Amino acid sequence: MEITYFLSFNRLVSKSFYRIQTRMFNTGDVVFLNIGYEEDPPMAVPLAESDEPNRFYIQLYHRTATQADLSGKRVLEVGCGHGGGASYLTRTLRPAAYTGLDLNSAAIAFCRKRHKLPNVDFVHGDAEKLPFPDQSFDAVVNVESSAAYPHFSRFLAEVVRVLRPGGHFLYTDLRPVSSIAEWEAALAGAPMRMLSHDDINAQVVRGLEKNSQRMVELIGRMPIGLRSIGREYAGMKGTGFYRAMQSGKYPYRVYCFMKD
């Protein structure tokens, strides 16, 4: 029951709530849709003043993407959302080219309008059927998106297909405890070598807590009828999702894989 609820909620969010978010927050300042990350002591990642309001979202991207050197590389982000991660990683890690892909066409339109950076492009497409030739990229980034995919193993097969030999899959997401074995089996079955992995529950919960003021402000912009689901999805203190994260019922992990 827990697996079914979790996956159904995430797929509903992917198909409906993300699109609603894009319509509601089409103002240019909401460029991240992931939850946050903070270490103890604080990461203190140096940020431009314009990036500071998004510090905790950015730190999750930073923690995930810096597991490999992306300088001069061709990078694909699957599930790019509103493109904040694409912008930050391009400006700071200096890839040669960065492509963001998302199933939400409204989000892709938002990204194309909001993030006009050299060597960055945004593509509408399906994570389980990537519209790119074999061996197109040196790295694939995937942040807090894969739980919404109907067939996770198909996505992994596509990641392997579009990666060049020696390329990296830089990945972070969560699952309910009762589906960890299935998650691990799918990852182990993909023809990639795991270089590292880490449980980051404590850091994500700390990020939720530190980012609460920002989330209160954003949820306050939503129609009254949607604020309850907004609080739940954002993991505000007191919500079921926050309590589940705090108690470890939804392990959140970060991985680095290499295609040999």
Side-chain angles (χ1 to χ4, degrees), residues 146 149-157 159-160 169 171 175 179-192 194 253 255 257:
S146 71
Y149 304 162
H151 308 98
F152 179 57
S153 292
R154 291 183 192 174
F155 162 62
L156 293 176
V159 169
V160 174
F169 177 41
Y171 171 57
R175 294 289 191 280
S179 68
I180 293 298
E182 180 183 356
W183 191 23
E184 291 178 340
L187 290 169
M192 296 182 286
M194 185 190 298
R253 295 180 177 178
Y255 292 89
F257 293 87

Side-chain angles (χ1 to χ4, degrees), residues 67-68 138-141 163 166-170 195 256-259:
Q67 295 178 103
D138 302 299
V140 174
V141 175
L163 273 177
H168 290 87
F169 177 41
L170 309 171
L195 301 183
C256 178
F257 293 87
M258 176 185 285
K259 176 180 174 179

Side-chain angles (χ1 to χ4, degrees), residues 9 29 71 84 86 102 124 128 142 148 150 158-159 177 188 200 204 223 258:
F9 179 75
D29 65 327
S71 176
D102 206 280
H124 178 234
E128 296 180 10
N142 187 247
E158 283 292 272
V159 169
V177 166
I200 58 171
V204 169
M258 176 185 285

Side-chain angles (χ1 to χ4, degrees), residues 31-34 51 54 57-62 65 70 75 77 79-93 95 98 100 111 115 117 120 122 141 143:
V31 294
F32 288 91
L33 302 178
N34 57 284
D51 286 324
N54 295 311
Y57 308 124
I58 284 172
Q59 289 182 166
L60 182 61
Y61 267 88
H62 185 90
L70 299 185
V75 179
E77 181 185 354
C80 66
H82 282 191
S87 173
Y88 170 76
L89 296 179
T90 299
R91 289 182 284 112
T92 58
L93 302 187
Y98 196 106
C111 289
H115 305 292
L117 296 166
V120 176
F122 295 97
V141 175
V143 173

